[in-house]
Amino acid sequence: VQLQASGGGLVQAGGSLRLSCAASGLPFSGYAMGWFRQAPGMEREFVAAISWSGGTYYADSVKGRFTIAEDNAKNTVYLQMNRLRPEDTAVYYCAVSMKDYGLYYDYEYDYWGQGTQVTVSS
């Protein structure tokens, strides 16, 4: 399984970015995908996830601003980030879990992408 994240960049506070994560080598179904982020000096934290059945989950800090969605035909998951804040600055990672529970926890994920930098200036 390979995951390729893209779409990061530099944006002003209040702006938007859309991250993409293209996956290869996955089965047709039965997996969940998530986004995590890690700021300098901080632990990696959960951002959003989408289960194999299409259920979506968000961290409280991004709820109402970020939206996770998937395109099964392209094996791609997206993270639309609106109303960005300086505290959203981090490296964002996509990940795949072959389980459909515990999606808030990074240890439940089996495969990880390389990360994409998001920087929000004030």
Side-chain angles (χ1 to χ4, degrees):
V1 174
Q2 290 189 325
L3 303 175
Q4 183 68 44
S6 61
L10 173 64
V11 64
Q12 287 189 330
S16 299
L17 283 174
R18 189 178 79 155
L19 305 184
S20 300
C21 179
S24 60
L26 284 170
F28 179 73
S29 62
Y31 58 90
M33 296 188 76
W35 288 95
F36 287 76
R37 66 187 181 187
Q38 187 167 22
M42 305 291 286
E43 292 191 354
R44 187 164 55 190
E45 64 174 1
F46 171 78
V47 177
I50 186 164
S51 71
W52 70 267
S53 59
T56 56
Y57 308 87
Y58 297 94
D60 287 343
S61 59
V62 308
K63 204 171 291 183
R65 301 187 298 124
F66 291 11
T67 303
I68 188 170
E70 63 183 351
D71 183 336
N72 288 325
K74 296 182 180 179
N75 274 356
T76 299
V77 66
Y78 303 97
L79 185 68
Q80 178 66 45
M81 306 186 295
N82 298 328
R83 291 184 282 142
L84 282 160
R85 304 167 180 168
E87 53 264 39
D88 295 318
T89 295
V91 177
Y92 283 70
Y93 298 91
C94 62
V96 167
S97 172
M98 304 309 294
K99 300 174 282 294
D100 204 34
Y101 57 83
L103 298 180
Y104 293 94
Y105 306 107
D106 58 1
Y107 55 79
E108 297 289 3
Y109 288 77
D110 304 287
Y111 306 99
W112 291 84
Q114 84 288 4
T116 184
Q117 176 71 47
V118 171
T119 303
V120 184
S121 63
S122 57

